[in-house]
Amino acid sequence: MPPLALHWYDGGLRPPKLRELEEEGAPMPEEGLLFVGDSGKILAGFTGESPRLVPKARMQAFQPPPPTLPRPAEELEQWVRACRGTAPSDASFENVAAVSETILLGTIAVRVDKKLRWDAASARFVDAPEADALMTRTVREGWAL
């Protein structure tokens, strides 16, 4: 996949209010996800629930495609299947590693006061030793594993 720009807001930092929401007199959500693409914007809740196109007129004109992907099993059912070895959970390490990495990198990004570039191949920040320093911690004597 080609590179993309990811903007992370957390800890009181907020993106500028969308022009489309201003024009509609709608508030910017307190939290959530905003996807900005070449053809438009999608706002969703914190966990991706209730996605909607912005502006409202685009959502009203939207015709959803027919459901073609299988729906995920409930969490407890996934857990039981994983324990029995019949099917891995959607939250297996293989599935959630990239999401976890993104969240952890976002946490570092709000602590460093500059634009950061991440080199996934080397697992380091480009030209940001202060961000790299936050990738590990020093464990006090007697507390190491």
Side-chain angles (χ1 to χ4, degrees), residues 71-94:
R71 306 308 340 142
E74 293 294 323
E75 290 174 3
L76 181 57
E77 184 179 337
Q78 289 186 43
W79 182 76
V80 170
R81 284 193 223 163
C83 290
R84 291 181 176 160
T86 58
S89 165
D90 290 345
S92 67
F93 290 115
E94 294 83 9

Side-chain angles (χ1 to χ4, degrees), residues 14-107:
R14 296 190 37 88
K17 187 171 182 180
L18 297 177
R19 178 185 44 80
E20 295 89 344
L21 294 179
E22 290 240 348
E23 291 171 357
E24 294 173 351
M28 186 76 162
E30 286 298 314
E31 63 180 16
L33 306 172
L34 172 62
F35 299 96
V36 179
D38 295 334
S39 302
K41 298 173 185 165
I42 299 173
L43 266 175
F46 181 74
T47 59
E49 76 279 2
S50 306
R52 64 189 188 278
L53 294 170
V54 178
K56 197 178 287 187
R58 295 229 24 216
M59 189 65 195
Q60 291 168 342
F62 176 68
Q63 294 296 317
T68 55
L69 298 174
R71 306 308 340 142
E74 293 294 323
E75 290 174 3
L76 181 57
E77 184 179 337
Q78 289 186 43
W79 182 76
V80 170
R81 284 193 223 163
C83 290
R84 291 181 176 160
T86 58
S89 165
D90 290 345
S92 67
F93 290 115
E94 294 83 9
N95 290 339
V96 300
V99 174
S100 295
E101 179 180 53
T102 302
I103 292 168
L104 294 170
L105 293 174
T107 302

Side-chain angles (χ1 to χ4, degrees), residues 119-143:
D119 179 356
S122 66
R124 309 300 295 165
F125 289 95
V126 177
D127 299 325
E130 66 273 37
D132 279 333
L134 296 171
M135 296 283 290
T136 59
R137 71 171 76 172
T138 303
V139 180
R140 289 182 295 159
E141 188 175 331
W143 291 93

